[in-house]
Amino acid sequence: MPEQTANTQSAATVMMIRPAAFNANPLTAETNAFQKSDAPDASQLLAAAQREFDGLAAKLAAAGVEVCVFQDDSDAVRPDAVFPNNWITTHADGSVVLYPMLAENRRTERRPDLVHRLATEHGFVVRTIVDFSPYELTGKILEGTGSMILDRVNSVVYACRSQRTDADVLAEFCDRFDCRPVLFDAVDRNGLAIYHTNVMMTLGTAFAVVCLESICDPGERDTLVALLEQTGHELIEITYTQMEQFAGNMLELRAAETLVIAMSQRARDSLAPDQVAALERHANLVSSPIEMLEDYGGGSVRCMLAEIFLPKENMQ
């Protein structure tokens, strides 16, 4: 596996958490307009979610991505454990960052034991842990790469304001990692704040997928577009309808020297031929059906993948 550096946008390794208690979380429904509440029988839903999870993990592995799968504890009730990108980010300097979560029943998803297992079982080096979770006590929330779209190469962080994205915590993250924050307001077609930036925007090495019509202020929209152009990203615009099919919730990854873009089958099917062609100029597309996870979790493929940028022991 090629070495990951601070100038690498996409990870060659992802962490995935296989669900043990997946269900529609009532504590997240108020702020997540993508989430349905009329869930089927719990055992049937969990079985379907596990099948979808296994299918995605297998497709990523077959594409050459290193996938570290951890089974969630069956004796813990974590309905959204399948979405680890909200509680952890990792960085090429050996830092692990833990984040404050809005829903109280999501806070137990933060698993220091899994960070330890990344080191002991998979050979990653953890040099420091930065813990922002105490911000929960004052109601200040920042849900990882749900809230933030990281341009790791150009040190820019894009984020839409919401109950799950606090400007003060974002500023502390940017100070810690020497990044420029780009904040904007984004709403769905009903005028409700979009709960996570990663459902309306994706950033790859040389492309950006953005639902521009969701950005309220023309000035903020123009600033975002200009910065994407300055940093060499081809802009691929998606519509509200495509965003609602999770077309904004993609993730670029590395497989050896090849780039891949992971997305759900629903997202892939929503794209027009010219959009597919634009994405394929940058990477191979990998899609997998995860409709139950999308419908009742309110998130998609990108939410299921926590990128691992930590150095490996044999690279010391």
Side-chain angles (χ1 to χ4, degrees):
M1 183 178 71
E3 182 175 4
Q4 299 176 144
T5 70
N7 292 321
T8 301
Q9 173 63 24
S10 299
T13 305
V14 292
M15 178 177 71
M16 299 181 67
I17 312 298
R18 191 172 188 270
F22 176 76
N23 211 327
N25 187 347
L27 298 189
T28 60
E30 183 178 350
T31 56
N32 185 344
F34 291 79
Q35 180 182 328
K36 296 180 179 180
S37 58
D38 57 338
D41 173 80
S43 61
Q44 294 179 353
L45 179 58
L46 175 60
Q50 289 175 334
R51 286 194 298 271
E52 291 176 352
F53 176 96
D54 293 341
L56 173 61
K59 284 194 173 183
L60 290 173
V65 176
E66 181 182 8
V67 182
C68 301
V69 174
F70 296 111
Q71 173 66 52
D72 193 28
D73 296 334
S74 58
D75 58 351
V77 180
R78 301 186 183 100
D80 289 319
V82 72
F83 302 131
N85 82 309
N86 298 144
W87 66 264
I88 185 172
T89 60
T90 68
H91 303 266
D93 65 356
S95 298
V96 172
V97 186
L98 307 178
Y99 292 91
M101 311 277 279
L102 180 63
E104 288 189 20
N105 67 354
R106 293 205 65 191
R107 295 172 184 176
T108 60
E109 292 174 28
R110 287 189 300 262
R111 300 278 301 278
D113 61 306
L114 297 188
V115 176
H116 179 70
R117 289 176 64 184
L118 283 172
T120 57
E121 297 177 14
H122 296 278
F124 291 101
V125 176
V126 177
R127 296 194 176 103
T128 184
I129 294 180
V130 181
D131 189 359
F132 291 143
S133 65
Y135 274 109
E136 292 168 349
L137 301 176
T138 56
K140 292 180 179 291
I141 306 301
L142 188 71
E143 295 191 338
T145 50
S147 294
M148 302 182 295
I149 306 299
L150 305 181
D151 183 342
R152 294 175 183 258
V153 176
N154 298 289
S155 300
V156 179
V157 179
Y158 298 92
C160 62
R161 303 176 185 93
S162 74
Q163 291 184 50
R164 304 195 194 191
T165 304
D166 180 85
D168 292 338
V169 192
L170 176 64
E172 184 168 342
F173 174 91
C174 289
D175 286 344
R176 172 65 176 75
F177 290 97
D178 194 23
C179 297
R180 170 187 172 182
V182 178
L183 271 166
F184 52 91
D185 290 314
V187 298
D188 64 20
R189 68 168 75 242
N190 297 314
L192 300 175
I194 292 175
Y195 80 108
H196 275 160
T197 317
N198 74 1
V199 297
M200 54 77 61
M201 182 175 180
T202 296
L203 192 77
T205 300
F207 73 91
V209 175
V210 188
C211 181
L212 287 179
E213 64 181 323
S214 72
I215 301 176
C216 306
D217 183 274
E220 291 182 338
R221 188 186 312 126
D222 291 344
T223 296
L224 181 144
V225 171
L227 187 53
L228 290 173
E229 291 175 349
Q230 291 169 17
T231 52
H233 292 90
E234 178 184 1
L235 178 61
I236 302 169
E237 185 176 356
I238 58 172
T239 65
Y240 266 137
T241 299
Q242 292 173 320
M243 182 187 78
E244 291 160 355
Q245 300 301 308
F246 292 102
N249 200 247
M250 307 175 185
L251 183 63
E252 180 187 270
L253 298 166
R254 291 188 300 128
E257 298 303 321
T258 302
L259 292 176
V260 301
I261 302 173
M263 68 187 74
S264 72
Q265 190 62 48
R266 173 181 283 170
R268 170 66 178 78
D269 291 344
S270 77
L271 298 174
D274 62 321
Q275 294 169 316
V276 171
L279 289 169
E280 288 181 333
R281 286 197 292 271
H282 299 282
N284 297 325
L285 306 189
V286 177
S287 59
S288 190
I290 57 164
E291 285 83 2
M292 300 296 273
L293 287 164
E294 289 175 322
D295 284 346
Y296 300 106
S300 190
V301 165
R302 196 277 168 267
C303 305
M304 298 170 65
L305 306 175
E307 303 129 290
I308 307 302
F309 284 92
L310 299 167
K312 283 270 195 174
E313 288 181 350
N314 59 8
M315 294 178 181
Q316 299 307 295

